[in-house]
Amino acid sequence: MLLTIHLYAQDKVTISGQVTDFDGNPLENANVFVQDIRFQLQYETLTDEKGHYEPEVAPGEYASIYILKEELYPRSNAVPEEDMRLEFWAWNVIADRDLEINARYHRLELYGTTVFTIYGGYPGFFIYFRPMSLEKVLAEGKDTYLDKQKAEEKGTDISVAPEYLEVEVYADNIPLKINSVQLVTEYVGEDRGMGGYLVQVDRPALPTDKPYIVFRVVATNTEFGEKGENVYFYSIPEVFR
């Protein structure tokens, strides 16, 4: 029996962390969803009264972990609009060992984050993400944001204008120099575009104890005082190791 328990422990890793707002206040009963590379739900848990979560998962790569408190989500229509929130995302999660992913949660959602580099070019990274403003979602009116199909058909751009976007980027918690922030249009449906951003940063010093870098993007929409963040696990190519 002891041998069986030992082997089982080797087949699992723990993803833990704390979910808070940007003032450090914990969020209790927030949903934490872990999705596989086909975007299918594999694990689900809730945060405790201190905002902590700690699911055990099979080692491997996961497309995303996303976190939301359902009663605060606009489509739930369960709280006043000033208390509503969107989602936190962690992308390309590489669970090869126990992980800690802390999440700060507010009214700006950073979606679809991807990190890549240009071989033979400047020694840096490009980070793409699409910010989505809750204030712009709510401006569509309750009859629209409560109806997903209607919201998709309307197709309003709910991203952040360049003059209102502030961005910080960290690699394994070390701040990186930002060289450029470029607005691009991401098509999200037929004849529908939404503003995304391509951010170039300097290449960080490579870690020595793991085969990936955890990038964290923190953004502020100064137009409405909205904040958001997410993380991306960048697998280091052999050429850089």
Side-chain angles (χ1 to χ4, degrees):
M1 182 182 295
L2 291 176
L3 177 60
T4 301
I5 293 173
H6 175 73
L7 291 174
Y8 178 79
Q10 300 304 302
D11 291 336
K12 295 288 184 179
V13 297
T14 299
I15 301 176
S16 63
Q18 185 183 30
V19 182
T20 70
D21 62 20
F22 273 74
D23 294 319
N25 302 306
L27 266 73
E28 183 179 3
N29 289 328
N31 298 86
V32 180
F33 302 102
V34 182
Q35 297 177 313
D36 65 17
I37 59 175
R38 295 176 300 278
F39 241 53
Q40 296 176 341
L41 181 63
Q42 296 298 306
Y43 303 95
E44 178 181 354
T45 190
L46 291 170
T47 58
D48 64 18
E49 68 278 2
K50 295 183 178 179
H52 291 131
Y53 68 95
E54 195 173 309
E56 281 192 332
V57 306
E61 296 185 10
Y62 294 90
S64 70
I65 296 175
Y66 74 98
I67 300 172
L68 78 159
K69 188 165 182 176
E70 288 189 355
E71 67 184 71
L72 303 183
Y73 198 69
R75 204 162 288 129
S76 296
N77 196 31
V79 298
E81 290 186 349
E82 60 267 24
D83 296 328
M84 291 179 178
R85 298 291 184 268
L86 290 178
E87 299 169 342
F88 169 93
W89 290 83
W91 296 96
N92 196 43
V93 177
I94 301 173
D96 65 335
R97 66 197 70 194
D98 290 346
L99 300 176
E100 181 177 354
I101 302 176
N102 296 311
R104 290 185 297 176
Y105 186 70
H106 198 246
R107 293 169 71 87
L108 187 66
E109 179 178 333
L110 309 185
Y111 190 79
T113 299
T114 303
V115 179
F116 63 95
T117 189
I118 304 297
Y119 294 104
Y122 181 81
F125 284 94
F126 285 99
I127 302 165
Y128 177 81
F129 66 93
R130 173 160 37 98
M132 296 189 289
S133 164
L134 176 57
E135 200 67 33
K136 287 190 174 181
V137 170
L138 300 179
E140 293 298 292
K142 186 171 291 188
D143 63 326
T144 297
Y145 72 71
L146 291 181
D147 186 331
K148 183 177 181 179
Q149 182 175 350
K150 188 173 182 179
E152 290 178 348
E153 290 173 352
K154 196 169 184 179
T156 303
D157 187 346
I158 58 172
S159 61
V160 181
E163 62 267 29
Y164 298 122
L165 182 70
E166 295 180 352
V167 182
E168 303 168 27
V169 178
Y170 301 83
D172 292 333
N173 296 319
I174 298 173
L176 298 179
K177 177 176 177 285
I178 294 178
N179 297 314
S180 67
V181 179
Q182 304 169 56
L183 175 67
V184 298
T185 299
E186 177 184 347
Y187 283 92
V188 294
E190 187 175 355
D191 298 324
R192 289 180 54 206
M194 192 173 295
Y197 287 89
L198 194 62
V199 179
Q200 188 189 40
V201 297
D202 281 351
R203 182 182 298 167
L206 297 181
T208 58
D209 65 333
K210 57 186 187 298
Y212 53 82
I213 303 170
V214 180
F215 284 85
R216 182 177 295 267
V217 180
V218 182
T220 302
N221 178 8
T222 60
E223 183 178 14
F224 302 120
E226 300 170 315
K227 296 179 180 294
E229 68 173 10
N230 65 10
V231 300
Y232 181 92
F233 285 65
Y234 174 80
S235 180
I236 303 170
E238 290 290 339
V239 68
F240 290 155
R241 295 182 189 175

